[in-house]
Amino acid sequence: MTTGALRRAIRRAGQRTASAERCGMCAGPVGAEHRHVWDEQDRELICACAPCSLLFDREAAGGERYQLVPTRGTRLAGPAADELGVPVGLAFFVKQRDGRVFGHYPSPLGTTESEIDADAWRAAEARSPALAELRPRVEALLVWAGTRHGAGQQWLVPVDDCFRLVALIRRHWTGMSGGGAVWREIPRFFDDLGRRHGRPSGNHG
């Protein structure tokens, strides 16, 4: 996933409350809760209405161009960001079709990214086998170091959840350190993941 694609997805996520969205396939209206499709040709996420989502529900339906973003989310027992050589407390990792993995680091300006060392990723997969099943482009490993009062969390999530998190940070960040609002919203975001996707899985640690 390129930085440009990520920026477009983040911008669209931030605009969702401002205007009604349209399906990127048929231009029909989409509801507040809708699926997304990764467009490999244009390197971007597009909104999909329910009927169009069904068209791409089978893995090979979109050919080489379209891939439906899944809805599954799984909380993992690890790995921590520092195991992947990442010195920050909030990051997500997306696998490419060629096997490379890029770390994305949210900030008030968007994200920065860097390629993850292949040996470090293989070691992480050995400790958390669920990572080997990470679907390229459309799923991510999301890692949060937590707060002084809460332990860190690691999630396998649809990549659009990560875009929503980045949009949330951009919307609520103030000043040099972020301000109180953003540090309240981030735990709420992870609480929502827990409500939607359940407790940690003991089979993936």
Side-chain angles (χ1 to χ4, degrees):
M1 182 166 299
T2 65
T3 301
L6 180 61
R7 286 173 179 165
R8 286 192 294 272
I10 292 168
R11 184 176 63 251
R12 290 177 179 179
Q15 293 171 344
R16 281 173 190 150
T17 57
S19 62
E21 286 193 278
R22 294 281 175 178
C23 175
M25 298 293 178
C26 69
V30 295
E33 299 294 329
H34 59 268
R35 304 286 296 275
H36 293 92
V37 172
W38 171 255
D39 182 340
E40 181 68 17
Q41 177 175 300
D42 292 336
R43 300 297 183 102
E44 64 181 2
L45 281 178
I46 58 178
C47 299
C49 65
C52 288
S53 296
L54 291 175
L55 294 176
F56 299 102
D57 204 25
R58 290 181 294 109
E59 187 170 347
E64 294 295 318
R65 178 168 182 179
Y66 297 114
Q67 188 176 4
L68 184 66
V69 176
T71 58
R72 69 168 179 165
T74 305
R75 187 171 175 183
L76 308 177
D82 56 2
E83 295 179 51
L84 295 168
V86 178
V88 298
L90 185 62
F92 63 95
F93 306 87
V94 180
K95 184 182 292 185
Q96 308 301 296
R97 287 186 173 179
D98 61 8
R100 293 181 300 157
V101 177
F102 283 85
H104 300 266
Y105 317 120
S107 78
L109 299 178
T111 65
T112 57
E113 69 173 33
S114 66
E115 186 172 353
I116 300 302
D117 178 77
D119 290 337
W121 184 260
R122 282 192 291 268
E125 286 184 335
R127 290 189 293 274
S128 291
L131 295 184
E133 303 171 8
L134 197 69
R135 299 178 191 179
R137 303 284 196 186
V138 294
E139 289 187 314
L141 168 66
L142 175 60
V143 178
W144 179 44
T147 67
R148 290 177 299 173
H149 307 293
Q153 299 184 28
Q154 300 84 33
W155 288 86
L156 189 157
V157 294
V159 74
D160 49 11
D161 274 335
C162 299
F163 297 156
R164 293 186 187 104
L165 175 59
V166 176
L168 178 152
I169 291 171
R170 295 190 67 183
R171 185 165 61 249
H172 292 283
W173 190 283
T174 58
M176 295 295 293
S177 62
V182 74
W183 300 116
R184 289 190 296 271
E185 292 296 329
I186 290 173
R188 288 173 182 165
F189 173 89
F190 282 90
D191 286 346
D192 181 63
L193 286 184
R195 284 190 292 271
R196 288 192 287 121
H197 299 306
R199 296 181 178 276
S201 171
N203 296 326
H204 298 147

